[in-house]
Amino acid sequence: MPAAFCDAAMREVAWRKSSCAARERYHEGTRPPLRSLITFDRAAVMPSTSIHKTEYDPESRILSVWFVASGKRYEFEGVPPETFAAFKAAFAKGRYFNEHIRNHFRYRLVGPAVD
């Protein structure tokens, strides 16, 4: 997939998830940068058969992922906000994880899931 297409798709995802106030500023001609349109949930239960839950810290760029089958939690370091936004928006979370996150970022086993 061309990089320009991916960038445009991520901007569209961020735009659709942005607040009404951000969209109103855009219509007034003062559209904020892409980063300010991306919202980060500290913890999100994923609608996935393989991934139970995720947490993302945009400051440290650490993505925590809890897996359904094992219950184990892994932390992935250096994950860009755009990658996390695309991961959240992906239809198939497990497929996106396998293709774009697993084996692309340093990771470590943290422990079992705690709810």
Side-chain angles (χ1 to χ4, degrees):
M1 209 176 290
F5 177 79
C6 292
D7 290 343
M10 286 182 17
R11 279 195 298 276
E12 179 66 22
V13 167
W15 177 249
R16 289 181 185 199
K17 292 187 174 203
S18 66
S19 67
C20 291
R23 283 186 237 138
E24 288 170 9
R25 284 194 301 274
Y26 171 74
H27 291 298
E28 294 168 2
T30 57
R31 183 174 183 175
L34 174 63
R35 183 166 171 82
S36 68
L37 291 176
I38 300 172
T39 58
F40 300 102
D41 297 328
R42 287 260 174 228
V45 175
M46 304 297 272
S48 170
T49 57
S50 58
I51 298 170
H52 171 65
K53 180 173 107 171
T54 62
E55 285 183 8
Y56 182 70
D57 182 5
E59 299 297 318
S60 64
R61 297 169 71 131
I62 292 178
L63 172 64
S64 296
V65 179
W66 285 260
F67 291 92
V68 172
S70 67
K72 293 180 180 176
R73 174 182 152 201
Y74 290 85
E75 285 186 348
F76 294 84
E77 301 173 1
V79 178
E82 297 81 8
T83 300
F84 177 66
F87 178 42
K88 279 184 27 176
F91 177 75
K93 309 289 192 241
R95 178 178 292 163
Y96 185 90
F97 174 83
N98 288 331
E99 293 175 0
H100 300 281
I101 298 172
R102 172 178 273 155
N103 299 326
H104 292 275
F105 299 97
R106 283 183 47 171
Y107 67 92
R108 66 186 179 104
L109 174 64
V110 176
V114 177
D115 283 328

